[in-house]
Amino acid sequence: MNKKTIRTGIVGAGFSASFHYEALRKVHGTNVEVVGVHAKDEPQGKAYAEKRGIRFFENLDALLDAVDAIHVCVPPMAHEPVSVAGLRRDKFVICEKPLTGYFGDGSKDFHWDRVDKQVALEAALASVQRMLAAERQSKGRLLYAENWVYAPAVQKEREILEKTGGQVLWIHGEEAHSGSHSVDYAYAARCGGGVLIGKGCHPLTAALYLKRVEGRTRNGNPIRPKSVSARTHAITRLPGFRDEGHIRRDYYDIDDFSAMHVEFDDGTIADVFASDIVLGGVHNWLEVCANNHRTICNINPNTAMQTYNPLEKNFADVYVVEKIGTKQGWACTSPEEDWFTGYPQEIEAFYRTIAYGEPAESDSLLAADAIATIYSAYVSTQRQGAAVLVPVG
Ligand SMILES: NC(=O)c1ccc[n+]([C@@H]2O[C@H](COP(=O)([O-])OP(=O)(O)OC[C@H]3O[C@@H](n4cnc5c(N)ncnc54)[C@H](O)[C@@H]3O)[C@@H](O)[C@H]2O)c1
């Protein structure tokens, strides 16, 4: 087969832009030419470009002129404007999670604790609609970079569901660690909320995806979320929180613990936890309880490899696993962390969509369902956990 060449550009030059680039280097079904990067933080963007031998573009339009596809690796509040700019120019857009959200009214004293979450829901849905409309009018497509969908354990579960016709009765899962590195993450006005959206979106979207797979296998119709009940807490902002230095605690206005209970339109359920208060490295897992099997997806940590290191300094130059607090003693050292996380698989799949029109497993409609569920969950938190119907995203 003659491989197509796709010219691509990265928007953003921080943490996610780095793992997107590493994944791009591994794409094999398509020739990818990474043309350049554009980032608001110019020194960071220039350093990113220089390190990789690509061009730095001072503005987004100039980058769009030079490429077929862009990777949106900017903070959530910039996902909509950057993605829509790309779609209007008929580019393929690979957008990081969460797709979009509500980023406040622009007022200086904006504080997430005081926001009417119904207003947030309506604004987030309006943003989703603008993005979906831009996609409909574009020759490009909006691809949603939810790596949990492409994590090998979740894709193996997709295969099991498709081949056994299983009915998923209950999914539970979690994404947690001891606090995001990002400065923006502390502010709901930049990220659209707290941990419920920032981390909860991952296991939630994997659960929505697997119910979608179940429905499309059975009769072609996805099973969709019907209602959600949720609670959030801000544990590290409690006056009584005793800081021992292991957990990030400088959040301005976000929730750092969340629990969502989702009921699907077939009456089955999912429970999703997300938090920033868990020590011992990243805790990302999903358990599927079906009528004919049970699956535990240990995305991170997992026991593909375990190391025992008697002295911290032995492993000074060794990367062990994400956000582990110490390298001494036993550790679930990850031999290929990006692979278990699904980053290279998602990028490979998206370039097959871009180059050859293959269907995308993580598309804009799945992303829209995730946003509709997440902001309905925030409405529920305002009602102390009462069930809230999830509108169509
Ligand atoms: N899938 C995952 O596992 C994962 C992990 C981390 C972050 N993310 C997502 O990636 C996105 C970026 O997070 P990050 O951790 O890379 O952030 P970061 O702070 O490390 O980097 C953000 C970059 O975006 C640039 N930027 C900001 N606003 C911009 C704009 N309007 N136009 C152009 N550039 C702009 C900044 O200059 C910076 O280079 C977020 O949406 C986040 O949720 C996903």
Side-chain angles (χ1 to χ4, degrees):
M1 181 171 83
N2 275 341
K3 284 189 195 178
K4 271 198 186 166
T5 297
I6 305 294
R7 298 165 309 152
T8 201
I10 318 276
V11 189
F15 180 74
S16 60
S18 297
F19 68 70
H20 275 246
Y21 187 84
E22 286 314 305
L24 278 164
R25 280 160 30 107
K26 294 181 182 136
V27 171
H28 50 84
T30 316
N31 293 321
V32 180
E33 186 192 333
V34 184
V35 175
V37 61
H38 162 66
K40 200 159 131 188
D41 180 335
E42 256 195 60
Q44 190 191 30
K46 283 182 173 160
Y48 180 98
E50 199 180 324
K51 187 173 167 192
R52 294 164 178 86
I54 59 174
R55 229 181 110 190
F56 175 74
F57 288 78
E58 268 157 31
N59 67 70
L60 179 60
D61 276 340
L63 176 69
L64 289 172
D65 278 341
V67 300
D68 309 302
I70 55 166
H71 292 239
V72 181
C73 299
V74 297
M77 86 264 198
H79 287 186
E80 182 193 335
V82 173
S83 299
V84 168
L87 290 166
R88 285 208 179 122
R89 304 280 293 272
D90 290 326
K91 310 299 174 184
F92 285 85
V93 171
I94 296 171
C95 182
E96 256 304 335
K97 61 86 201 168
L99 182 70
T100 185
Y102 171 63
F103 306 101
D105 51 10
S107 65
K108 273 217 163 73
D109 63 347
F110 175 84
H111 197 285
W112 188 237
D113 290 349
R114 294 190 290 269
V115 166
D116 179 346
K117 304 300 190 297
Q118 185 65 36
V119 171
L121 168 66
E122 284 161 22
L125 291 178
S127 175
V128 167
Q129 288 309 322
R130 289 190 294 271
M131 293 177 86
L132 294 180
E135 185 187 28
R136 280 194 300 273
Q137 286 152 22
S138 178
K139 291 194 186 111
R141 285 203 57 195
L142 180 55
L143 304 164
Y144 181 48
E146 175 46 75
N147 55 281
W148 276 50
V149 167
Y150 296 93
V154 173
Q155 278 305 309
K156 193 69 190 172
E157 175 59 14
R158 173 195 54 76
E159 180 192 336
I160 292 168
L161 285 174
E162 286 177 348
K163 290 184 177 164
T164 70
Q167 180 185 28
V168 178
L169 308 175
W170 176 39
I171 300 178
H172 50 146
E174 177 182 15
E175 168 145 342
H177 54 63
S178 57
S180 168
H181 69 286
S182 157
V183 177
D184 294 312
Y185 185 75
Y187 301 89
R190 301 181 197 171
C191 294
V195 77
L196 185 148
I197 182 165
K199 289 185 182 55
C201 65
H202 286 298
L204 173 71
T205 309
L208 299 180
Y209 168 68
L210 290 174
K211 287 300 290 183
R212 178 194 238 208
V213 167
E214 178 193 332
R216 88 180 172 203
T217 302
R218 190 160 311 131
N219 57 17
N221 297 322
I223 297 164
R224 296 197 50 262
K226 183 172 86 180
S227 72
V228 59
S229 321
R231 294 295 302 267
T232 53
H233 300 270
I235 305 290
T236 61
R237 285 196 280 132
L238 288 175
F241 170 61
R242 292 170 53 194
D243 186 4
E244 295 271 347
H246 306 299
I247 294 173
R248 182 177 170 187
R249 69 157 315 182
D250 62 343
Y251 305 122
Y252 174 66
D253 62 346
I254 64 159
D255 43 280
D256 56 19
F257 179 91
S258 68
M260 276 183 266
H261 176 75
V262 178
E263 185 183 348
F264 291 92
D265 58 21
D266 65 352
T268 64
I269 51 178
D271 288 285
V272 172
F273 292 94
S275 84
D276 288 303
I277 55 166
V278 170
L279 295 184
V282 170
H283 196 205
N284 293 353
W285 58 272
L286 196 80
E287 180 163 343
V288 178
C289 299
N291 65 344
N292 62 355
H293 70 283
R294 179 174 164 193
T295 293
I296 301 173
C297 303
N298 288 320
I299 296 177
N300 196 348
N302 59 58
T303 52
M305 183 178 182
Q306 290 168 288
T307 54
Y308 176 75
N309 172 30
L311 275 180
E312 185 80 32
K313 68 176 172 38
N314 272 354
F315 279 17
D317 294 334
V318 178
Y319 178 81
V320 170
V321 69
E322 193 180 351
K323 292 215 190 287
I324 192 79
T326 174
K327 296 176 181 178
Q328 191 161 321
W330 280 105
C332 291
T333 298
S334 189
E336 202 11 314
E337 195 168 57
D338 281 4
W339 186 83
F340 285 109
T341 309
Y343 294 144
Q345 297 90 334
E346 91 180 343
I347 301 300
E348 176 68 31
F350 288 153
Y351 276 83
R352 287 182 170 277
T353 301
I354 296 168
Y356 312 116
E358 288 185 13
E361 291 295 283
S362 184
D363 59 14
S364 54
L365 293 181
L366 183 66
D369 271 355
I371 295 298
T373 309
I374 284 164
Y375 281 91
S376 301
Y378 272 127
V379 172
S380 170
T381 66
Q382 198 167 301
R383 300 180 193 163
Q384 301 300 314
V388 171
L389 289 177
V390 179
V392 177

